[in-house]
Amino acid sequence: MSLYGQLADQLQQQITSGLWQPGERIPSIRQSCKTHGLSPMTVLQAYQLLESRGLILARPQSGYYVKAAPSRPAVSMPQQAHYSGSVDINDLVFEVLQASKSRELVPLGMAVADPTLFP
């Protein structure tokens, strides 16, 4: 496992165990560099990984803080849905191919510029 992954897992364990409370500031990047003997980029990657996991959030000019656990409303489990119609993959493929011909859609997956942009 990478160094930043190990640091992220260690901090995640500390957060889930209650060492860092919601709203509390975690050590700065510089402090973590000194404590763990890592480079600033490694610590930053660990913090970004924790941020993507939804455990911490960055506050500009302030640092990183433990994110408050979202309150979840009580939700009853819905009954299992049953779909009685048939699904034909050929129809879906045909629909996608037809849509690709539309001039209103932008082909974001292509690495080629639109020919109308050239002189």
Side-chain angles (χ1 to χ4, degrees):
M1 178 179 273
S2 62
L3 290 175
Y4 74 89
Q6 292 174 9
L7 177 60
D9 289 344
Q10 180 182 357
L11 289 171
Q12 180 174 351
Q13 192 275 330
Q14 291 174 355
I15 291 169
T16 55
S17 70
L19 181 63
W20 305 104
Q21 297 297 317
E24 191 174 354
R25 186 172 187 257
I26 63 174
S28 69
I29 293 175
R30 288 182 185 164
Q31 288 171 334
S32 289
C33 288
K34 290 177 185 175
T35 304
H36 300 286
L38 299 172
S39 72
M41 185 55 71
T42 303
V43 175
L44 179 62
Q45 285 179 317
Y47 283 14
Q48 288 174 341
L49 182 59
L50 289 171
E51 197 172 11
S52 71
R53 291 178 184 172
L55 295 170
I56 64 173
L57 61 104
R59 293 185 187 162
Q61 306 293 319
S62 182
Y64 289 88
Y65 292 81
V66 177
K67 196 171 184 181
S71 60
R72 295 184 180 184
V75 177
S76 62
M77 294 299 292
Q79 296 294 328
Q80 187 174 8
H82 296 283
Y83 181 70
S84 61
S86 63
V87 177
D88 186 13
I89 191 68
N90 293 328
D91 292 339
L92 181 60
V93 170
F94 183 71
E95 186 179 332
V96 169
L97 290 174
Q98 289 294 3
S100 68
K101 294 179 184 178
S102 173
R103 292 209 175 261
E104 289 84 32
L105 297 178
V106 177
L108 298 175
M110 296 182 63
V112 180
D114 185 2
T116 59
L117 297 175
F118 296 110

